[in-house]
């Protein structure tokens, strides 16, 4: 294309009321656009709009380009005529161009694609970047590298490669991709990120860091570049880069600024490509109890629990709440004594000197249960179980704790005493649990306000209506505000603090466990015995200027506002809800919501199991029933419940993903008390359950 052909641009601008000198002869298209924009005192974006208006075309959205369209235009054609395909159908190809007058380009595109080209207008430099990203990702990666710290990639060493092992995956091992991957590692460590997420999209990908428990955007990448970085990380983690259709897990180790980090890598297939997540672990990062930032009353109570020479102590909380860090701090404290300590973990997050640590390897049949059995034959004094997730592991741990071993373990439950309910639901004998259990603690993490930019609150009144509401809810006035600075990445927070509730079991509480009392009553007894609830501990952090009301409400949320449910059964115990759903994720979510409201929850994964749970109908106050179930579907279960005299009056709330009109009427006719569509909306779901129990009580 001749540069003279670009002079049409001057005419377009002059017709819009601007006077422009002609661009220099021999100038390329990008230079012509820059020269005309500068001479006419208009921005490049405004110039693109003038061109589009003149030719009655649209301005291109290069970010919406469809990969299928690029397959119709060869790279040589795209570069020769500076065009970029946006989308296509059976008859038409939409192409972005900086020169709508280029008849040669129009003819060539029609010939190459067998479709009628339709132009939209884009800036030359944007077209060049899009072409590089689509057809030559290395050039795109090189341009991205210019936007990050030039020295970042040089400060990262992949330790598995030091032995001279060659990486033979071609493109994934190209220099720009290696440098960009190393730069991402460096930036993640610099930002103190715990996780790095590589998230694909239709027209581009995004990299996000989880910093202090909150997701933060870091970088946008074209999909070809993101795919190459993901492939690079899969190679480092010894994963199969050719297999993108199934989830994979792997590990790698890097050195950043002379410090070693372990990477735990996970991939899952998505509609667009693979999503990859990296957990960054510092093997030497274990802290002591004194350094963990525990509130003093809770630290004292935990030390009291660790002074036991037998029994089981449980730490509960959701994923990412710091359970493992607290466990390691406890183990490090105990390791100062002349005792034999063993751990069973998946994965081993911190390496502790003088402690035997066993890695769970399911492919080699090394499970929590089998490793725990083997550990018991090694004469341990203290055993740490990374996670108790099934009945077999729970029973071994409990029996070990009553035969002269101190067992420490983690469990997924909402508060300290809910761990008792969780173990009972797994099938552990309450009498055995009452003998074994010494205490439990629940934990969350809140962000610590940045000391470099914290601003003291001068006025007595709250800053706004929201702050006033939270101050009334938590019974404490905020004394500092998070402003934001470079040190904290403009978030106002840097680092995290634990909020805990530590329950030390008394003989009275142990007897209540033996009798099968629910978590709510156990919690009340523990508070009467001196346990501070997490809400009170969090309020202390606000009172001392260590965090904010918004932050503790973000972490505690509904659990801090939960009110006692209206009882539907006996007044001395909470209602029991039977949750029937074959989807484990849905069960976990629903169970969490219901237990927050103080209910006792039991589960069934199919219709037949649900009816078995109802063999003692007085043990269940309400059933939440999914329609789509294996063995016996939800409608059949509902008919069986309504057809039996013992369960005819049992409240049933149907939970289903069906969207057809008329389903609700049909279910009500068949005997359902209420109907709730997935996905679960927490507030409405809790309200519906409470209303159904209230109707049943009256």
């Amino acid at each position: 294309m001749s540069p003279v052909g670009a002079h049409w641009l001057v005419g377009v601008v002059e017709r819009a009321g601007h006077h422009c000198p002609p661009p220099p002869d021999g100038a390329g298209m990008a230079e012509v656009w820059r020269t005309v924009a500068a001479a006419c005192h208009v921005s490049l974006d405004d110039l693109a709009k003038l061109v589009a208006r003149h030719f009655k075309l649209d301005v291109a959205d290069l970010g919406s380009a469809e990969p299928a369209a690029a397959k119709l235009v060869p790279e040589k054609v795209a570069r020769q005529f500076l065009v970029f395909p946006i989308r296509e159908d059976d008859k038409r190809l939409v192409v972005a161009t900086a020169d709508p007058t280029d008849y040669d380009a129009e003819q060539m595109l029609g010939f190459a694609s067998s479709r009628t080209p339709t132009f939209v207008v884009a800036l030359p430099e944007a077209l060049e970047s899009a072409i590089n990203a689509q057809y030559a990702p290395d050039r795109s990666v090189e341009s991205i590298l210019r936007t990050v710290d030039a020295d970042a990639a040089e400060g990262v060493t992949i330790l598995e490669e030091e032995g001279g092992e060659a990486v033979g995956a071609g493109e994934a091992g190209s220099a720009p991709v290696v440098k960009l991957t190393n730069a991402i590692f460096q930036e993640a460590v610099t930002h103190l990120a715990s996780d790095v997420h590589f998230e694909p999209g239709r027209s581009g990908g995004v990299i996000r860091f989880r910093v202090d428990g909150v997701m933060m955007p870091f970088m946008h990448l074209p999909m070809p570049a993101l795919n190459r970085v993901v492939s690079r990380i899969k190679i480092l983690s010894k994963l199969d880069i050719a297999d993108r259709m199934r989830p994979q897990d792997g590990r790698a180790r890097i050195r950043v600024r002379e410090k070693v980090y372990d990477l735990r890598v996970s991939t899952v297939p998505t509609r667009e490509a693979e999503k990859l997540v990296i957990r960054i672990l510092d093997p030497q990062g274990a802290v002591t109890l004194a350094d963990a930032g525990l509130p003093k009353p809770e630290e004292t109570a935990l030390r009291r629990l660790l002074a036991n020479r037998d029994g089981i102590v449980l730490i509960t909380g959701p994923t990412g709440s710091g359970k493992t860090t607290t466990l390691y701090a406890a183990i490090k404290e105990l390791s100062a004594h002349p005792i034999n300590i063993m751990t069973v973990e998946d994965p081993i997050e911190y390496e502790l000197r003088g402690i035997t640590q066993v890695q769970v390897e399911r492919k080699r049949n090394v499970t929590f249960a089998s490793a725990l059995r083997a550990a018991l034959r090694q004469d341990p004094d203290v055993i740490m179980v990374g996670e108790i997730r099934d009945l077999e592991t729970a029973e071994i741990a409990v029996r070990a704790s009553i035969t002269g071993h101190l067992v420490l373990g983690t469990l997924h439950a909402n508060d300290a005493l809910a761990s008792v309910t969780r173990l009972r639901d797994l099938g552990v004998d309450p009498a055995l649990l009452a003998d074994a259990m010494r205490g439990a603690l629940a934990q969350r993490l809140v962000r610590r306000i940045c000391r470099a930019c914290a601003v003291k609150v001068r006025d007595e009144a709250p800053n706004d209506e929201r702050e006033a509401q939270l101050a009334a809810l938590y019974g404490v006035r905020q004394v500092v505000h998070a402003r934001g600075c470079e040190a904290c990445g403009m978030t106002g927070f840097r680092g995290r603090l634990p909020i805990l509730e530590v329950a030390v079991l008394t003989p009275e509480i142990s007897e209540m466990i033996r009798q099968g009392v629910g978590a709510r009553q156990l919690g009340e007894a523990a508070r009467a015995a001196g346990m501070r609830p997490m809400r009170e501990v969090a309020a202390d952090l606000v009172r001392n200027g260590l965090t904010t009301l918004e932050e503790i409400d973000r972490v505690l949320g509904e659990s801090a506002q939960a009110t006692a449910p209206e009882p539907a059964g006996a007044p001395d115990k909470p209602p029991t809800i039977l949750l029937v759903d074959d989807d484990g994720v849905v069960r976990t979510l629903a169970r969490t919501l219901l237990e927050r409201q103080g209910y006792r929850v039991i589960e069934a994964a199919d219709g037949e199991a649900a009816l078995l749970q109802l063999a003692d109908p007085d043990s269940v106050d309400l059933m939440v029933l999914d329609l789509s179930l294996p063995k016996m579907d939800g409608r059949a279960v509902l008919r069986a419940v309504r057809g039996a005299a013992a369960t005819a009056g049992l409240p049933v709330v149907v939970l289903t993903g069906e969207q057809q009109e008329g389903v609700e009427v049909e279910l009500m006719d068949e005997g359902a008390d209420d109907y709730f569509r997935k996905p679960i909306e927490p507030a409405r779901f809790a309200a519906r359950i409470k209303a159904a129990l209230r109707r049943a009580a009256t």
Side-chain angles (χ1 to χ4, degrees):
M1 179 179 58
S2 169
V4 177
H7 289 186
W8 59 265
L9 192 59
V10 175
V12 169
V13 178
E14 287 183 340
R15 288 187 184 90
H18 302 274
H19 176 69
C20 298
D25 290 340
M29 183 61 70
E31 185 179 351
V32 168
W33 275 68
R34 286 193 300 269
T35 302
V36 172
C40 299
H41 305 291
V42 296
S43 70
L44 284 169
D45 287 338
D46 288 340
L47 183 54
K49 292 175 184 176
L50 287 176
V51 172
R53 189 182 308 128
H54 177 81
F55 290 101
K56 296 181 174 56
L57 301 174
D58 293 328
V59 176
D61 177 10
L62 296 177
S64 66
E66 299 175 354
K71 297 177 181 178
L72 299 176
V73 180
E75 179 183 357
K76 181 178 180 181
V77 173
R79 293 191 183 280
Q80 179 182 351
F81 295 100
L82 195 59
V83 293
F84 187 72
I86 302 294
R87 58 185 177 276
E88 57 87 25
D89 56 31
D90 291 342
K91 297 180 180 180
R92 193 173 64 132
L93 175 68
V94 179
V95 182
T97 180
D99 183 2
T101 70
D102 194 342
Y103 180 70
D104 291 340
E106 187 174 358
Q107 280 194 317
M108 180 58 74
L109 286 166
F111 176 77
S113 65
S114 299
R115 287 161 175 78
T116 302
T118 299
F119 283 148
V120 290
V121 178
L123 297 174
E125 290 183 348
L127 289 170
E128 290 174 357
S129 297
I131 292 169
N132 286 337
Q134 178 61 46
Y135 297 103
D138 274 351
R139 299 188 189 184
S140 175
V141 172
E142 286 170 351
S143 66
I144 293 167
L145 278 171
R146 290 194 289 270
T147 68
V148 299
D149 184 358
D151 298 327
E154 305 303 324
V156 178
T157 304
I158 309 301
L159 297 184
E160 281 80 357
E161 292 187 353
E162 288 187 335
E165 180 182 354
V167 176
E171 291 184 343
S174 64
V177 175
V178 171
K179 289 182 179 179
L180 179 57
T181 305
N182 289 353
I184 293 168
F185 291 155
Q186 173 90 313
E187 290 294 329
V189 170
T190 300
H191 285 81
L192 305 179
S194 60
D195 302 85
V196 183
H197 291 241
F198 297 79
E199 301 172 343
R202 185 173 182 82
S203 57
V206 64
I207 299 173
R208 296 198 294 169
F209 294 163
R210 186 179 292 279
V211 179
D212 293 334
V214 178
M215 297 291 284
M216 299 174 57
F218 168 64
M219 178 185 291
H220 289 269
L221 287 176
M223 278 307 300
L226 183 74
N227 288 335
R228 290 156 71 87
V229 172
V230 167
S231 293
R232 166 67 179 166
I233 296 170
K234 290 177 70 174
I235 290 170
L236 300 180
S237 310
K238 307 297 187 292
L239 302 181
D240 184 357
I241 65 171
D243 188 352
R244 299 188 176 187
M245 302 303 293
R246 64 182 179 90
Q248 297 186 65
D249 296 297
R251 295 175 187 172
R253 177 169 287 193
I254 61 174
R255 179 184 289 120
V256 181
R257 299 195 200 100
E258 302 307 315
K259 190 171 182 179
V260 174
Y261 296 88
D262 287 332
L263 307 181
R264 194 170 76 198
V265 179
S266 171
T267 71
V268 293
T270 69
R271 176 181 176 182
E272 308 300 337
E274 280 182 297
K275 177 179 178 180
L276 183 142
V277 177
I278 301 175
R279 169 67 57 89
I280 302 176
L281 303 171
D282 180 359
Q284 306 300 323
V287 298
T288 63
L289 286 177
D291 299 329
L294 306 181
K296 284 301 177 184
E298 283 63 42
E299 181 182 341
T300 301
L302 179 54
R303 289 182 186 277
R304 181 179 164 191
L305 291 175
L306 296 177
N308 288 289
R309 287 295 167 258
D310 62 6
I312 185 168
V313 177
L314 297 170
I315 300 183
T316 73
T319 301
S321 61
K323 302 186 298 293
T324 304
T325 300
T326 301
L327 261 184
Y328 272 108
I331 289 292
K332 205 166 186 179
E333 192 95 356
L334 292 170
S335 67
H337 303 287
I339 57 177
N340 178 22
I341 301 176
M342 298 189 69
T343 73
V344 182
E345 307 172 62
D346 183 24
I348 296 174
E349 296 195 7
Y350 304 109
E351 296 175 358
L352 300 178
R353 183 175 298 177
I355 294 174
T356 304
Q357 296 174 269
V358 179
Q359 170 68 54
V360 170
E361 291 283 358
R362 291 176 181 81
K363 292 180 179 178
R364 300 178 182 176
N365 203 31
V366 181
T367 63
F368 277 106
S370 65
L372 189 52
R373 284 196 196 90
L376 288 172
R377 296 192 288 270
Q378 297 288 313
D379 187 31
D381 298 290
V382 178
I383 303 173
M384 183 189 101
V385 185
E387 184 178 354
I388 298 173
R389 61 177 67 167
D390 55 55
L391 175 59
E392 186 181 15
T393 304
E395 285 187 332
I396 297 171
V398 169
R399 293 186 183 281
S401 68
I402 60 177
T403 55
H405 309 89
L406 177 62
V407 178
L408 309 178
T410 71
L411 192 70
H412 285 290
N414 295 311
D415 54 56
L417 273 306
S419 59
V420 174
T421 305
R422 182 65 178 147
L423 288 176
R424 284 196 308 226
D425 288 347
L426 285 175
V428 177
D429 182 2
L432 201 62
L433 187 57
D435 291 338
M437 199 160 175
R438 298 291 176 264
L441 65 96
Q443 178 168 321
R444 304 290 190 276
L445 293 174
V446 294
R447 292 181 293 174
R448 180 199 290 267
I449 202 161
C450 177
R451 297 174 181 175
C453 64
V455 179
K456 289 187 177 180
V457 177
R458 296 180 180 179
D459 300 328
E460 290 296 322
N463 190 47
D464 53 31
E465 183 180 348
R466 171 64 174 163
E467 188 175 311
Q469 292 172 348
L470 294 176
L473 174 64
Y474 292 98
V476 62
R477 188 177 69 85
Q478 189 163 308
V479 298
V480 290
H481 282 154
R483 184 174 57 182
C485 64
E486 289 187 6
C488 61
M490 303 308 296
T491 64
F493 300 93
R494 187 167 181 85
R496 288 194 284 180
L497 293 166
I499 52 176
L500 299 87
E501 59 181 29
V502 183
V504 179
L505 265 61
T506 63
E508 292 76 17
I509 297 175
S510 295
E511 184 58 31
M512 293 173 70
I513 293 173
R514 192 185 310 277
Q515 294 173 4
V517 172
R520 185 180 174 191
Q521 282 70 27
L522 291 174
E524 290 173 353
R527 286 191 287 275
M531 180 189 80
R532 293 200 305 167
M534 281 189 288
R535 174 175 171 168
E536 184 179 326
V537 176
D540 260 1
L541 296 180
V542 175
R543 190 176 293 112
N544 295 328
L546 297 175
T547 190
T548 66
L549 285 166
E550 282 279 1
E551 178 61 13
I552 64 171
D553 191 63
R554 179 187 70 83
V555 173
L556 296 182
E558 292 180 2
S559 62
Q561 305 176 44
T563 57
E566 298 175 16
D572 60 343
K573 68 174 185 176
T576 297
I577 295 176
L578 172 58
L579 179 60
V580 188
D581 199 304
D582 62 331
D583 188 331
V585 175
V586 173
R587 288 204 310 274
T588 299
L589 173 59
R591 182 189 192 103
T592 300
L593 294 173
L594 293 170
E595 288 182 341
R596 280 181 180 176
Q597 300 297 317
Y599 303 117
R600 178 174 179 264
V601 180
I602 56 178
E603 299 179 15
D606 60 65
E608 291 182 359
L611 294 181
L612 287 174
Q613 293 279 17
L614 292 173
D616 178 9
D618 294 334
S619 66
V620 177
D621 298 292
L622 180 143
M623 178 166 63
V624 177
L625 178 66
D626 185 27
L627 284 188
S628 178
L629 293 170
K631 297 186 179 179
M632 177 186 289
D633 67 22
R635 282 187 169 85
V637 173
L638 180 58
R639 287 192 293 270
V641 168
R642 289 291 175 255
T647 57
L650 178 70
V652 178
V653 176
V654 173
L655 179 66
T656 181
E658 288 193 16
Q659 302 294 325
Q660 296 96 330
E661 294 294 331
V663 171
E664 182 173 0
V665 175
E666 292 175 10
L667 290 169
M668 294 300 185
D669 287 342
E670 292 178 14
D673 293 89
D674 206 345
Y675 176 88
F676 200 85
R677 282 193 173 96
K678 299 177 184 178
I680 293 174
E681 298 176 28
R684 293 181 62 226
F685 180 65
R688 292 280 187 89
I689 297 299
K690 183 180 290 188
L693 287 168
R694 184 168 56 244
R695 290 193 299 269
T698 58

